[in-house]
Amino acid sequence: MRALVKPEPGPGLELTEVDEPGVGPDEVLIAVQRMAICGTDLHIHDWDDWAASAVPTPLTIGHEFMGTVAEVGSQVTDIEIGSRVTAEGHI
């Protein structure tokens, strides 16, 4: 899948292909349809003092997104495949 990645410390991001993540027993896989670039992502792109002190690399960015549930783990009981979801995570 395509993803914006901060491969190493320093300014910039790369649009690259990454492996699709697996799903643990208590996790869901989201087929992302839209994602947002937010202020945090701009700090990571610019690699300012905050990013240099707080962000581990490599890192796939994009913690604000919406999509549909594509797969559910074996212990997930409260959400179904095909459910529309939106989320804002953090690093």
Side-chain angles (χ1 to χ4, degrees), residues 1 19-25 27-30 71 73:
M1 63 182 203
D19 292 335
E20 186 174 296
V23 177
E27 298 176 328
V28 298
L29 179 66
I30 308 297
E71 186 177 343

Side-chain angles (χ1 to χ4, degrees), residues 29-35 64-70 79-87:
L29 179 66
I30 308 297
V32 174
Q33 295 167 328
R34 302 285 187 271
M35 55 96 36
E64 296 181 6
F65 57 89
M66 65 79 54
T68 56
V69 175
I79 194 163
E80 298 176 355
I81 291 174
S83 297
R84 291 175 52 177
V85 294
T86 183

Side-chain angles (χ1 to χ4, degrees), residues 9-90:
L13 297 167
E14 293 181 11
L15 180 61
T16 187
E17 291 289 325
V18 299
D19 292 335
E20 186 174 296
V23 177
D26 61 347
E27 298 176 328
V28 298
L29 179 66
I30 308 297
V32 174
Q33 295 167 328
R34 302 285 187 271
M35 55 96 36
I37 301 289
C38 75
T40 301
D41 299 320
L42 296 177
H43 288 284
I44 294 169
H45 173 272
D46 295 342
W47 203 247
D48 60 18
D49 290 341
W50 172 83
S53 68
V55 177
T57 59
L59 174 71
T60 299
I61 70 162
H63 60 269
E64 296 181 6
F65 57 89
M66 65 79 54
T68 56
V69 175
E71 186 177 343
V72 297
S74 60
Q75 297 175 5
V76 175
T77 59
D78 56 346
I79 194 163
E80 298 176 355
I81 291 174
S83 297
R84 291 175 52 177
V85 294
T86 183
E88 178 183 358
H90 55 282

